[in-house]
Amino acid sequence: MERDVRFAAAPAADLWTDRVMDLYAAKDAHGAPLVVLFTAHGVTKDTWAEYAELATALAQRGIVVAVSNWSQLGTDESTADKVVDVVMQGRAVQACAVAFAVGRARRLGADPRRLVLMGQMYGGNLASLTALAPTVAPVRGCLDRTRRWQAAGLVVWDGDWLAGMNLWDSYGADAARIAAAVTPWNVLSTAPRVPVVAAFSDNTAQATQRCEAGTSPTWLAQRDPTGQMRQQLLLVDAFVDGCVDIGDGTTAMVAAMQAEGIEADVLELDGATTSEEVLDPADRTALVDATAALTGSD
């Protein structure tokens, strides 16, 4: 394990600090898959012990893992423009993290052609965009801007596929621009056919859970002016119980991916101790198994 390996230098001290990652690899790794794991927004790799636990479990299965700090790039979300700017900064940092990890892959015993992107919550949302719409250039200050890569797989857990955070309700019609920036709905038709595992925790109250009666609640209409999200939610009977939760959003996104010819599967995490901050041991094993299968390391 290598800790706090710098992959991007901050452009100015008052904007954000240097970005760092932790690298995990078995000593005898050779031609191993490479997983780049992005933390949740507002969370560092050192804040939640779960990232180290998960990376260690993956490394024990013969997978090289890079756990990246990418978020906390800005705190001003006073307008939709500023929210989108923070999101795009995050995507640029993620592009840098992937390029940097790919550049070090062979040194660590990994085959960069077996690259899988992985992330939690909004780290997962942006990981999905990095994999499915890999057109954003690495951030200025990136220590490896030229490395080329293409994801061979994607794993997201607790992704907010509906951009359902309550705090965005206040943006009104501008919430649609935020939703377009942080979810992959608009890029599915042109995305590379990367196999996807979409996991969700069904036993915790999620920030994305919206329990509002009716098939066209205001919060969804604000985010979904084309009706694309609503149509997919209808197809998976998400409105039957009057509550659109994180499982409904995950199921709807997977159905939309499948409709575009993307090989996508839902993984339900239902362990008794799973929460936003920790995975039940059985759920951690399930997530590791699914990732190992996606990387071909089983």
Side-chain angles (χ1 to χ4, degrees):
M1 178 183 174
E2 295 181 62
R3 285 186 56 83
D4 296 331
V5 178
R6 189 176 69 143
F7 66 86
D14 61 340
L15 291 180
W16 43 274
T17 58
D18 292 351
R19 301 291 88 182
V20 297
M21 63 174 60
D22 292 345
L23 300 168
Y24 297 74
K27 290 181 180 179
D28 58 353
H30 178 72
L34 172 65
V35 168
V36 182
L37 168 60
F38 299 108
T39 64
H41 179 57
V43 177
T44 70
K45 61 182 177 54
D46 302 312
T47 303
W48 291 353
E50 186 56 56
Y51 298 125
E53 294 278 357
L54 182 58
T56 299
L58 288 165
Q60 289 170 344
R61 294 287 289 272
I63 299 169
V64 174
V65 186
V67 184
S68 167
N69 278 357
W70 67 272
S71 62
Q72 295 180 320
L73 302 179
T75 57
D76 187 351
E77 298 182 349
S78 57
T79 67
D81 284 340
K82 291 181 178 179
V83 174
V84 172
D85 182 59
V86 170
V87 170
M88 296 307 295
Q89 286 185 59
R91 289 186 64 185
V93 172
Q94 286 194 344
C96 173
V98 176
F100 184 86
V102 165
R104 294 178 71 105
R106 297 198 186 280
R107 239 187 70 182
L108 297 167
D111 182 348
R113 295 170 299 182
R114 302 176 69 188
L115 169 68
V116 171
L117 304 190
M118 187 177 191
Q120 183 190 21
M121 299 167 73
Y122 275 99
N125 277 43
L126 298 193
S128 69
L129 286 164
T130 302
L132 301 175
T135 57
V136 174
V139 69
R140 183 165 56 92
C142 183
L143 301 186
D144 195 335
R145 294 180 58 87
T146 62
R147 197 71 56 170
R148 293 185 178 275
W149 55 268
Q150 181 174 340
L154 171 67
V155 180
V156 176
W157 87 94
D158 285 352
D160 184 5
W161 303 114
L162 304 176
M165 289 180 67
N166 293 349
L167 65 89
W168 288 344
D169 290 347
S170 62
Y171 294 103
D174 283 338
R177 294 175 50 224
I178 297 172
V182 301
T183 67
W185 292 96
N186 295 338
V187 303
L188 294 182
S189 62
T190 57
R193 283 354 187 204
V194 173
V196 178
V197 172
F200 72 94
S201 308
D202 76 344
N203 64 334
T204 57
Q206 298 288 344
T208 53
Q209 187 172 28
R210 304 299 296 256
C211 296
E212 300 185 27
T215 58
S216 185
T218 301
W219 70 270
L220 183 58
Q222 288 177 340
R223 292 153 172 77
D224 183 34
T226 68
Q228 183 183 19
M229 292 180 186
R230 179 173 176 270
Q231 181 61 33
Q232 289 297 328
L233 289 167
L234 286 168
L235 290 175
V236 299
D237 296 327
F239 298 107
V240 169
D241 60 358
C243 182
V244 179
D245 61 25
I246 195 166
D248 293 323
T250 300
T251 304
M253 176 57 74
V254 165
M257 289 177 170
Q258 292 171 342
E260 294 291 350
I262 298 171
E263 180 186 341
D265 294 296
V266 173
L267 175 64
E268 186 174 337
L269 305 175
D270 57 5
T273 61
T274 289
S275 69
E276 288 186 354
E277 298 185 9
V278 67
L279 289 169
D280 184 274
D283 283 340
R284 186 183 303 116
T285 298
L287 196 55
V288 169
D289 286 346
T291 305
L294 200 64
T295 63
S297 59
D298 274 357

